[in-house]
Amino acid sequence: MDSFDNAIHYGPNDAGASAISIALVVLGILAFSWAFGAVYALFANYFNRMNDSDE
């Protein structure tokens, strides 16, 4: 009797990765990078205003 070889019988859905979960991860990464850039811009504008008022 042959043993069950996981390498032969392994499919993309065996890991639990579906198209919707992959899309949600990609959208989450995009949202996080956008939020990081927005927060960075707010801090940069705040510190630029502080430096301009000191002069």
Side-chain angles (χ1 to χ4, degrees):
M1 183 172 177
D2 293 332
S3 63
F4 183 76
D5 189 4
N6 287 333
I8 295 173
H9 301 288
Y10 186 78
N13 289 332
D14 292 340
S18 63
I20 190 74
S21 64
I22 293 170
L24 288 175
V25 167
V26 169
L27 289 175
I29 291 171
L30 289 173
F32 176 76
S33 64
W34 173 84
F36 181 79
V39 169
Y40 181 84
L42 287 174
F43 279 115
N45 287 338
Y46 175 73
F47 287 120
N48 282 338
R49 274 192 249 128
M50 270 185 27
N51 287 340
D52 289 343
S53 66
D54 290 343
E55 293 176 357

